[in-house]
């Protein structure tokens, strides 16, 4: 059981920084920040979960079955992640590419302490066994320094797992699959990495978040494993009996010249290639949602709407459905996983080709981070625009990708990857 208390805050932005700094004493941390991005389906401005009371950690073997049992028996707030390689639990697939990060394939925990921020209101949910620590924690948070200490580290030298010529060759191979009719579209990703490198995870996350200010930013810490995410994309949300998916397909750079920036945004909205790849994924998501939807309830609420973020313009669609009251939340996730925007169409064929052509096991990249509420509602992002860090192995990684369709030009795809990678590279190299 949890005890719930509310507080009024004077400066919520300062409190957010203090709260995140204070959280670093714990081995398990999930911080999710909407950056006050007013979005139709936002529930909170920011959420913090710390300190595991119970947890589950597993590879892909019966991962969704084990998560379903854990969620059903706990019936409490659960925070954690689903890695891309849980595809191997859903379909007869494998993940044999190089993995420098070594993250577990699924990890969730039941936090002892929870903080929900909405405007100037703080709601605190503590398990009863630690509720006597609450007032001291609040005082400690308020007295926490806003500044984050930096420990010395060598400049990070980023390496490419796939070099430019090889990238072109692999895209041409994927285009051959498309022209042969094996697939219509596939998301092809490449890794940028650094070995024997040490970073300050919290400082790195805050720099990345300051640059990007996305609606699904996440700082995740599980012992020595870190995710520093500037994700702009929602994977899936359950709100009562309603399911919402918001895939992103279509990216354009920003410009400091306002007229040029408006033109770039307008050009993206009318770009035939970008619209076609978005619409293909919308069809895939509609099909995935229909597996659990009540008859006739799948709807496209927004199609190819362009949203503007500090680094890029993005084309986003919103698809929703209704489910029966007795449909298990984990079954909804399993029937749509991995998300269409990071796979392709047809999904299984695309994932097989992705595995052949990519050089790195995706792991948490292009998976999802989020939470389950006690009533079975959930909300998960898509892990993109993210830095992953194994502190013990001193291995830093970020991956970027794009949708390859029949109209794709290898050079344009490569340049789009560099646009998406810009913020991560800037944060790590400077």
């Amino acid at each position: 059981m949890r005890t719930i208390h509310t507080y009024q805050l004077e400066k919520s932005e300062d409190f957010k920084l203090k709260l995140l700094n204070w959280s670093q004493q714990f081995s398990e941390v999930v911080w999710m920040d909407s950056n006050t991005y007013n979005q139709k389906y936002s529930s909170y401005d920011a959420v913090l979960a710390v300190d595991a009371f119970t947890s589950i950690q597993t590879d892909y073997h019966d991962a969704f079955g084990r998560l379903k049992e854990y969620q059903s028996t706990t019936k409490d707030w659960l925070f954690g992640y689903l890695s891309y390689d849980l595809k191997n639990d859903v379909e007869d697939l494998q993940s044999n590419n190089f993995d420098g990060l070594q993250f577990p394939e699924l990890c969730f925990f039941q936090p002892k302490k929870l903080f929900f921020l909405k405007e100037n209101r703080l709601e605190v949910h503590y398990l009863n066994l630690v509720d006597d620590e609450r007032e001291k924690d609040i005082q400690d948070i308020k007295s926490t320094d806003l500044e984050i200490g930096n420990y010395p580290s060598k400049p990070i030298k980023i390496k490419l797992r796939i070099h430019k010529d090889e990238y072109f060759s692999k895209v041409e191979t994927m285009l051959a699959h498309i022209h042969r009719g094996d697939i219509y579209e596939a998301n092809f990703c490449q890794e940028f990495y650094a070995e024997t490198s040490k970073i300050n995870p919290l400082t790195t996350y805050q720099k990345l978040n300051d640059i990007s200010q996305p609606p699904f930013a996440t700082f995740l810490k599980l012992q020595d494993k870190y995710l520093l995410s500037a994700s702009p994309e929602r994977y899936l949300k359950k709100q009562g009996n309603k399911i919402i998916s918001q895939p992103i397909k279509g990216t354009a750079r920003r410009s400091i010249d306002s007229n040029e920036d408006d033109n770039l945004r307008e050009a993206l909205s009318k770009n035939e290639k970008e619209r076609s790849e978005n619409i293909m994924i919308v069809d895939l998501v509609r099909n995935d949602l229909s597996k659990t939807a009540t008859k006739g309830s799948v709807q496209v609420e927004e199609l190819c709407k362009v949203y503007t973020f500090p680094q890029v313009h993005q084309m986003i669609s919103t698809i929703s459905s209704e489910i029966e009251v007795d449909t298990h939340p984990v079954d909804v996730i399993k029937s749509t996983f991995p998300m269409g925007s990071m796979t392709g169409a047809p999904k299984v064929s695309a994932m097989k080709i992705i595995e052949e052509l990519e050089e790195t096991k995706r792991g948490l990249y292009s998976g999802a981070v989020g939470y389950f509420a006690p009533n079975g509602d959930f909300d998960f992002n898509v892990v993109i625009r993210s830095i992953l860090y194994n502190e013990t192995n001193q291995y830093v990684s970020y991956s970027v990708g794009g949708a390859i369709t029949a109209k794709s030009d290898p050079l344009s795809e490569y340049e789009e990857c560099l646009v998406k990678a810009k913020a991560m590279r800037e944060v790590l190299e400077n």
Side-chain angles (χ1 to χ4, degrees):
M1 293 289 290
R2 292 188 181 270
T3 308
I4 302 172
H5 299 269
T6 57
Y7 301 84
Q8 284 298 121
L9 304 172
E10 289 181 17
K11 293 183 178 178
S12 58
E13 282 304 309
D14 283 359
F15 189 85
K16 276 171 65 174
L17 287 173
K18 289 171 180 277
L19 185 59
L20 188 52
N21 288 4
W22 170 85
S23 73
Q24 299 309 293
Q25 64 189 287
F26 300 102
S27 297
E28 303 87 13
V29 178
V30 174
W31 167 261
M32 305 179 77
D33 189 352
S34 71
N35 285 295
T36 62
Y37 186 81
N38 286 322
Q39 205 259 24
K40 182 179 177 183
Y41 291 111
S42 292
S43 299
Y44 310 104
D45 294 339
V47 181
L48 174 69
V50 297
D51 202 10
F53 178 54
T54 66
S55 64
I56 179 176
Q57 187 172 302
T58 182
D59 64 12
Y60 70 85
H61 292 97
D62 193 31
F64 283 105
R66 293 181 64 185
L67 177 61
K68 187 174 178 178
E69 182 183 8
Y70 181 54
Q71 194 277 333
S72 298
T73 53
T74 309
K75 288 194 173 79
D76 191 15
W77 291 95
L78 303 177
F79 284 73
Y81 69 78
L82 309 156
S83 80
Y84 171 79
D85 299 284
L86 296 183
K87 67 183 173 61
N88 307 335
D89 182 30
V90 180
E91 303 289 349
D92 183 18
L93 298 168
Q94 295 180 322
S95 298
N96 298 315
N97 289 329
F98 172 76
D99 179 12
L101 287 160
Q102 301 291 318
F103 277 56
E105 289 174 341
L106 178 147
C107 189
F108 280 86
F109 69 94
Q110 177 188 12
K112 292 178 186 173
K113 303 175 182 184
L114 268 170
F115 302 81
F116 297 92
L117 280 159
K118 187 76 175 176
E119 295 173 344
N120 290 327
R121 187 171 179 269
L122 171 69
E123 197 171 276
V124 179
H125 298 220
Y126 271 40
L127 285 178
N128 288 350
L129 72 135
V130 293
D131 192 52
D132 59 340
E133 301 172 18
R134 178 178 42 82
E135 285 302 330
K136 182 181 182 302
D137 285 348
I138 295 295
Q139 291 308 312
D140 288 348
I141 292 163
K142 288 179 176 177
S143 61
T144 297
D145 197 341
L146 279 172
E147 297 299 317
I148 304 164
N150 252 320
Y151 49 69
S153 60
K154 295 177 183 175
I156 302 292
K157 181 61 180 171
I158 302 296
K159 300 178 188 176
L160 286 72
R161 186 68 61 191
I162 299 172
H163 288 274
K164 191 174 181 179
D165 289 347
E166 189 183 5
Y167 178 87
F168 287 172
S169 173
K170 286 175 179 287
V171 171
E172 291 291 356
T173 302
M174 193 163 272
L175 285 168
H177 280 291
I178 292 169
H179 295 141
R180 234 187 355 253
D182 301 332
I183 50 173
Y184 306 112
E185 174 177 3
N187 191 282
F188 177 55
C189 300
Q190 57 176 318
E191 183 195 21
F192 299 78
Y193 68 100
E195 298 164 299
T196 59
S197 298
K198 194 176 180 184
I199 64 172
N200 183 319
L202 188 55
T203 305
T204 306
Y205 163 76
Q206 293 205 320
K207 286 178 181 174
L208 184 62
N209 191 48
D210 286 347
I211 289 171
S212 303
Q213 297 171 41
F216 299 100
T218 302
F219 177 93
L220 178 143
K221 172 188 176 185
L222 295 167
Q223 284 78 44
D224 65 337
K225 314 285 196 308
Y226 292 86
L227 167 73
L228 323 170
S229 179
S231 173
E233 183 172 0
R234 169 178 277 127
Y235 158 44
L236 208 62
K237 180 182 176 82
K238 179 179 179 289
Q239 194 172 282
N241 293 340
K242 186 170 185 175
I243 307 297
I244 302 108
S245 180
Q246 296 182 294
I248 291 178
K249 273 287 160 276
T251 304
R253 67 178 177 87
R254 298 291 312 275
S255 172
I256 55 172
D257 179 273
S258 60
N259 288 332
E260 185 187 17
D261 196 53
D262 289 342
N263 291 337
L264 287 164
R265 179 189 170 97
E266 183 70 13
L268 174 61
S269 71
K270 294 177 178 175
N271 186 300
E272 191 180 331
K273 182 257 178 187
E274 302 283 21
R275 288 184 67 87
S276 69
E277 67 181 54
N278 191 299
I279 289 165
M280 277 189 234
I281 297 306
V282 168
D283 283 342
L284 190 154
V285 171
R286 287 172 64 221
N287 182 62
D288 282 349
L289 290 183
S290 71
K291 295 170 188 173
T292 56
T294 57
K295 190 174 180 181
S297 69
V298 178
Q299 295 183 350
V300 179
E301 296 185 7
E302 284 183 340
L303 185 64
C304 299
K305 183 171 178 179
V306 176
Y307 287 80
T308 297
F309 301 96
Q311 290 280 299
V312 289
H313 301 292
Q314 299 274 204
M315 191 180 283
I316 303 175
S317 292
T318 300
I319 309 100
S320 66
S321 67
E322 300 281 336
I323 58 170
E324 299 288 358
V325 178
D326 59 354
T327 302
H328 198 282
V330 174
D331 289 338
V332 179
I333 294 170
K334 184 179 180 181
S335 66
T336 62
F337 196 85
M339 63 289 300
S341 62
M342 297 306 295
T343 52
K347 190 188 269 190
V348 176
S349 299
M351 288 191 288
K352 285 178 179 175
I353 293 166
I354 285 165
E355 182 69 23
E356 288 170 13
L357 292 176
E358 292 181 357
E359 297 290 332
T360 309
K361 178 179 174 178
R362 288 194 183 180
L364 182 48
Y365 171 71
S366 74
V369 173
Y371 63 82
F372 292 93
N375 65 358
D377 283 357
F378 58 72
D379 200 2
F380 285 88
N381 73 1
V382 178
V383 179
I384 52 175
R385 320 289 160 82
S386 300
I387 296 166
L388 291 141
Y389 178 44
N390 183 317
E391 189 173 39
T392 301
N393 295 352
Q394 296 190 356
Y395 188 89
V396 182
S397 169
Y398 62 91
S399 294
V400 291
I404 309 301
T405 67
K407 294 181 179 179
S408 289
D409 168 59
L411 178 59
S412 297
E413 295 296 338
Y414 189 77
E415 289 172 347
E416 183 179 311
C417 283
L418 297 183
V419 168
K420 291 173 179 175
K422 184 184 175 189
M424 280 96 72
R425 186 160 206 147
E426 201 175 296
V427 162
L428 289 170
E429 287 194 335
N430 296 334

